[in-house]
Amino acid sequence: MTPQFWLWLGFAGMAAGAAAILFLGKRRTQAEEADTIIHGIVPIIAACSYFAMATGQGSLVLPAGPDAAEATRQFYFARYIDWTFTTPLLLLGLSRTAMHSGMRRPAIVWGLIGSDLIMIVTALAFGLSQVAWVKWTWFAISCGAFLAVFYGIFVQLREENAAERDDVRAAFLRNAVFLTVVWCAYPAVLLVGQDGLGLLSPALALAVIAVLDLTAKVVYGLMATVQTTRAVDRDLAETRSPAAPLRRAA
């Protein structure tokens, strides 16, 4: 299958996923409304990115390497723009799950988002670089920022999540592990793809990234939306006030 096939598949999958999340998500409380919007807008942004790449507006041609006089590679910069917006939103959604009863420590969220943005910008520099030692230095810095994100999730957010009830703690752990497993595949693909060692064909690299994107943004978004609905169902049952929407703090 051609690279174009995977790009258009990514566009169609993200558009359909966004519609499904926004349709399934409820808005009985402020928290539920916010989570629905957060997880719904993520695949919308990704759909725009895939449309740009599929139509040739989201990529540029770079030399395949410093010693390659004729060989070139297609560099898809639109995916980094996508990740700059969507991964902070996913981290915000995960943080809201961790602190379901109220955003007690927003500084943790800002730290997560800051580390995430450093990771993405340095990964962009890695993809753009031609000089080997510069390229791999950027890659190492990006991986370091990636580890900081995981520290924020599994140490800081989990400490806050410990104060929540059992179902919220279980939902947070499920979401955190799911995202971690999917996200850990990204640097591996970038490492062996066209922007790194060049071991994967362009079509295969695009296919793997498209599957990872759909999993992290659509599958995860649907899962998180369902879990939020269940948590709010219990909130409303415990407070015995289903007719009083939009009272829970965002």
Side-chain angles (χ1 to χ4, degrees), residues 56 58-62 72-77 79 194-195 202:
S59 65
L60 51 86
V61 177
L62 294 177
T72 59
R73 60 186 170 98
Q74 202 77 15
F75 179 71
Y76 294 96
F77 64 85
R79 66 167 53 130
Q194 294 298 300
D195 297 336

Side-chain angles (χ1 to χ4, degrees), residues 43-96:
I44 291 175
I45 295 170
C48 293
S49 169
Y50 272 93
F51 181 78
M53 290 187 288
T55 57
Q57 295 178 314
S59 65
L60 51 86
V61 177
L62 294 177
D67 300 322
E70 301 293 337
T72 59
R73 60 186 170 98
Q74 202 77 15
F75 179 71
Y76 294 96
F77 64 85
R79 66 167 53 130
Y80 294 92
I81 299 175
D82 166 355
W83 295 340
T84 298
F85 291 97
T86 56
T87 53
L89 286 171
L90 290 171
L91 287 170
L92 176 60
L94 184 63
S95 300
R96 292 176 61 85

Side-chain angles (χ1 to χ4, degrees), residues 112-234:
L112 277 170
I113 291 175
S115 299
D116 178 65
L117 292 176
I118 292 171
M119 175 190 70
I120 294 166
V121 171
T122 52
L124 172 64
F126 156 77
L128 288 170
S129 298
Q130 300 300 317
V131 179
W133 74 267
V134 175
K135 174 183 285 289
W136 296 111
T137 298
W138 282 127
F139 185 79
I141 295 171
S142 183
C143 289
F146 204 20
L147 292 176
V149 171
F150 290 137
Y151 174 82
I153 292 173
F154 288 103
V155 177
Q156 295 176 309
L157 280 186
R158 199 168 183 188
E159 287 175 354
E160 292 302 311
N161 182 241
E164 303 290 338
R165 63 178 189 248
D166 291 347
D167 63 317
V168 175
R169 292 201 302 271
F172 167 72
L173 186 58
R174 261 194 313 271
N175 290 1
V177 171
F178 186 96
L179 273 183
T180 296
V181 171
V182 177
W183 280 356
C184 280
Y186 281 91
V189 177
L190 293 179
L191 174 65
V192 299
Q194 294 298 300
D195 297 336
L197 298 173
L199 302 180
L200 297 182
S201 68
L204 181 56
L206 281 173
V208 175
I209 291 291
V211 171
L212 290 174
D213 277 346
L214 288 167
T215 304
K217 297 176 173 67
V218 174
V219 177
Y220 174 80
L222 288 168
M223 182 179 76
T225 298
V226 170
Q227 290 175 353
T228 297
T229 298
R230 291 174 179 169
V232 173
D233 284 343
R234 183 167 172 179

